């Protein structure tokens, strides 16, 4: 059911962003499609984990105290069972959306995008485990999920330029939206040397915003797209590493919370 749902949503989004060109309008649309991709992966997977894992915890605790298995055995096995779905579903979703939108056609860029999305999903799933193990029941876990996700989403680099955000900068460094969106943007725009400009300027450096209106700088290559959002190409490896670190850290915290809950009971 979830795979069918993912395909349907991917097709709907693909129709909305269908066949983008490398021009000024295409920049905004492609960036929006990439951020929507991260957002959908975050909300869909965290609610899926919380709904299932929270409802299983009472059964696990009862069987655990009956001596059937240890906390670590259940925790690891649960993740191994869930792993194939959290690989297949995002891959299918991305494959449908990627080619409908018309993202970077290079084969290596597509597979790198798959890897980035899978790492983002693992962070989200890890957060879902942590919230499920920490919250007293599923209703509270579902209630606090948006409260946690939305600030990280705002600091993801799309709605807010994170180049200078003052004392709230620490949210940026904990945001998987920031690392995932930055990595997808670099993967998409790095190496793009030509983006069409509109207008009558001879040197294609400016374009008109209406007759007699002000001139706006024309974004003519991928590096300029990244500069507008304060993304650095050299941060690509760091983005990937931080997604792995966040995933592992949240899984460890989730296990500690589950262990403490089982011990307390």
């Amino acid at each position: 059911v979830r795979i069918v749902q993912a395909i349907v949503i991917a097709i709907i989004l693909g129709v909305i962003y269908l066949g983008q060109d490398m021009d000024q309008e295409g920049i905004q649309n492609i960036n929006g499609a990439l951020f929507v991709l991260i957002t959908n992966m975050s909300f869909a997977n965290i609610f899926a984990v919380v709904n299932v894992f929270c409802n299983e915890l009472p059964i696990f605790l009862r069987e655990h105290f009956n001596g059937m298995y240890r906390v670590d055995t259940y925790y690891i096995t649960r993740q191994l069972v869930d792993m194939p779905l959290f690989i297949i579903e995002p891959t299918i979703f991305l494959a449908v959306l990627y080619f409908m939108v018309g993202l970077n056609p290079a084969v290596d860029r597509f597979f790198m995008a798959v890897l980035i999305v899978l790492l983002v999903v693992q962070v989200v799933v890890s957060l879902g485990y942590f919230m499920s193990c920490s919250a007293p029941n599923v209703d509270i876990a579902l209630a606090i999920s948006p409260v946690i996700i939305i600030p990280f989403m705002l600091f993801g680099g799309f709605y807010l330029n994170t180049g200078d955000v003052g004392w709230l900068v620490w949210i940026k460094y904990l945001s998987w939206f920031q690392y995932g969106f930055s990595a997808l943007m670099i993967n998409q725009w790095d190496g793009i040397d030509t983006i069409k400009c509109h207008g009558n300027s001879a040197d294609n450096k400016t374009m008109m915003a209406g007759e007699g209106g002000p001139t706006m700088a024309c974004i003519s290559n991928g590096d300029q797209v990244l500069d507008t959002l304060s993304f650095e190409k050299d941060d690509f490896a760091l983005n990937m590493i931080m997604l792995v670190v966040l995933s592992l850290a949240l899984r460890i915290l989730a296990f500690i919370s589950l262990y403490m809950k089982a011990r307390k009971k």
Side-chain angles (χ1 to χ4, degrees), residues 139-157:
D139 293 330
I140 293 179
L142 291 173
I144 64 177
S145 294
V147 178
I148 294 176
I149 292 178
I150 289 176
F152 290 127
M153 181 179 69
L154 294 177
F155 280 81

Side-chain angles (χ1 to χ4, degrees), residues 24 27 192-197 204 218-222 224:
Q24 303 305 298
I27 294 172
I192 301 297
D193 298 323
T194 304
I195 299 176
K196 297 177 184 177
C197 292
N204 259 353
C218 174
I219 298 176
S220 58
N221 59 61
Q224 293 178 6

Side-chain angles (χ1 to χ4, degrees), residues 1 20 32 36 46 60-61 66 73 77 80 82 94 100 118 121 136 138-139 159 161 176 183 195 203 229 265:
V1 175
Q20 297 301 316
V36 166
I46 196 168
F60 154 70
L61 291 173
N66 287 334
T73 302
T77 303
L80 292 176
D82 290 339
L94 176 63
M100 289 187 70
L118 290 180
V121 169
V138 64
D139 293 330
Y159 296 112
N161 191 305
W176 66 91
I195 299 176
D203 58 1
L229 295 174
K265 294 290 183 179

Side-chain angles (χ1 to χ4, degrees), residues 39-61:
T39 303
N40 183 79
M41 290 294 99
S42 298
F43 280 95
N45 288 290
I46 196 168
F47 286 125
V49 171
V50 169
N51 273 312
V52 174
F53 204 67
C54 278
N55 290 326
E56 284 187 356
L57 282 180
I59 300 174
F60 154 70
L61 291 173

